[in-house]
Amino acid sequence: MALETPNHTQTVAGWAAYDSSGKIAPYIFKRRENGVNDVTIQVMYCGICHTDLHHVKDDWGITMYPVVPGHEITGVITKVGSNVKNFKLGDRVGVGCLAASCLECEFCKNSQENYCDQIQFTYNGIFWDGSITYGGYSEMLVADHRYVVHVPDNLPMDAAAPLLCAGITVFSPMKDCQLLESPGKKVGIVGLGGLGHVAVKMAKAFGHQVTVISTSPSKENEAKQRLGADYFLVSTDAKQMQRGKRTLDVILDTVPAKHSLGPILELLKVNGTLVVVGAPDRPIELPSFPLIFGKRAVKGSMTGGMKETQEMMDVCGKHNITCDVELIKPDKINQALDRLARNDVRYRFVIDIAGTSKL
């Protein structure tokens, strides 16, 4: 493992956290030359994911400093390797969480690269050449073309950026639960943040009745009026939760903080499924009785493979699904991270890396 290897000759300006204080500061580093399987991307926008917050503060104990976060990246291709046939100069593209995988295991061969046990991420990972990966809080990115997707022409690049993580994170379990081809289900979304708000949009676009479950009563009007949710339950209101018992077919839990799954499981019908996609830094509570007495299932889901990620982008293009974003300049990243820690964002911060928007 090394910060750089000899083929890292391109000097790049970016923004990094240097220690567990989590404070972001300018960082000059080097990226590899564009290889035969690579594309070079001028980064236009990069979303700020809750995972970024965990990494910069080393909440999970795995951060390699300095860390350049960012895995919700949109930009334009400026170089194309000789083996690359599906991208050309000027293409609008996106890069999500994945930077490399083994390409040989059953998961890689079945377009489920995200479950390869040698998966390496867009930042804080170890690339094939042994170098540490740096993410999208930077002006330029070199990526293997197998981990890049096209951004539909009708989607704005800023509001499309969070789809590369938040979007695929909720799309994948929806597809896994047959929600794309079977409209008319009753779907619950726990948490109305970066993941939750796009999950509501997708579930409605796919023809389902949507219930938002939140600790914040103040979000009810926005959930219903702005995002189109049909129902809203305050999870701390025992009477509301009692009325919601056994009403939902599928629930996506997007909350990134410790909480009990017991009351949420009670909302599921018999044989219902709860999918956990949030990533709390402490174990969540899973009581056995709601599982046993409802024949319910709890499963997890992590982003998606590359084929599925492109499908998600195309579906979002078809239904005109984007994320609700607040654009910031790079010098406001620290303030944005502080606000994100307080859940003070509607619903995703996106960094205007290229400075193309009027802020």
Side-chain angles (χ1 to χ4, degrees), residues 250-276:
V250 177
I251 297 175
L252 268 64
D253 187 342
T254 71
V255 175
K258 180 184 178 182
H259 59 293
S260 175
L261 299 184
I264 298 167
L265 282 168
E266 297 283 10
L267 300 176
L268 285 170
K269 297 177 182 178
V270 173
N271 281 318
T273 300
L274 169 62
V275 187
V276 176

Side-chain angles (χ1 to χ4, degrees), residues 85-294:
K85 307 304 180 187
N86 55 333
F87 294 100
K88 64 182 186 304
L89 294 178
D91 277 357
R92 292 158 37 101
V93 296
V95 174
C97 301
L98 311 185
S101 60
C102 80
L103 302 176
E104 297 295 334
C105 70
E106 60 176 307
F107 302 106
C108 287
K109 290 182 177 180
N110 195 32
S111 299
Q112 296 186 78
E113 302 92 341
N114 51 314
Y115 295 115
C116 172
D117 66 3
Q118 296 182 47
I119 192 69
Q120 296 298 331
F121 297 112
T122 300
Y123 70 87
N124 202 58
I126 307 297
F127 195 64
W128 289 315
D129 63 5
S131 63
I132 295 174
T133 57
Y134 294 129
Y137 291 20
S138 59
E139 294 179 347
M140 180 268 278
L141 180 73
V142 180
D144 186 288
H145 75 282
R146 288 166 286 200
Y147 305 93
V148 181
V149 295
H150 291 276
V151 177
D153 289 339
N154 64 307
L155 297 183
M157 295 282 269
D158 53 354
L163 294 175
L164 277 305
C165 175
I168 186 58
T169 296
V170 296
F171 177 87
S172 184
M174 286 187 183
K175 184 179 179 183
D176 194 48
C177 293
Q178 289 80 51
L179 295 180
L180 272 69
E181 63 269 16
S182 302
K185 300 289 186 181
K186 295 181 178 179
V187 178
I189 308 297
V190 185
L192 197 63
L195 274 66
H197 90 286
V198 73
V200 172
K201 292 184 179 185
M202 286 185 180
K204 289 302 297 180
F206 302 155
H208 303 293
Q209 183 186 96
V210 177
T211 298
V212 171
I213 302 109
S214 173
T215 58
S216 305
S218 60
K219 292 185 178 181
E220 180 170 3
N221 284 341
E222 189 149 3
K224 291 180 177 179
Q225 304 302 322
R226 182 174 175 183
L227 300 175
D230 300 284
Y231 299 100
F232 188 93
L233 294 176
V234 179
S235 58
T236 54
D237 187 319
K239 290 183 178 180
Q240 287 190 30
M241 294 294 281
Q242 178 66 27
R243 288 197 297 269
K245 287 182 69 172
R246 293 197 173 194
T247 61
L248 303 176
D249 297 295
V250 177
I251 297 175
L252 268 64
D253 187 342
T254 71
V255 175
K258 180 184 178 182
H259 59 293
S260 175
L261 299 184
I264 298 167
L265 282 168
E266 297 283 10
L267 300 176
L268 285 170
K269 297 177 182 178
V270 173
N271 281 318
T273 300
L274 169 62
V275 187
V276 176
V277 295
D281 55 2
R282 292 182 294 162
I284 52 181
E285 298 173 11
L286 179 59
S288 59
F289 279 13
L291 281 177
I292 296 168
F293 284 93

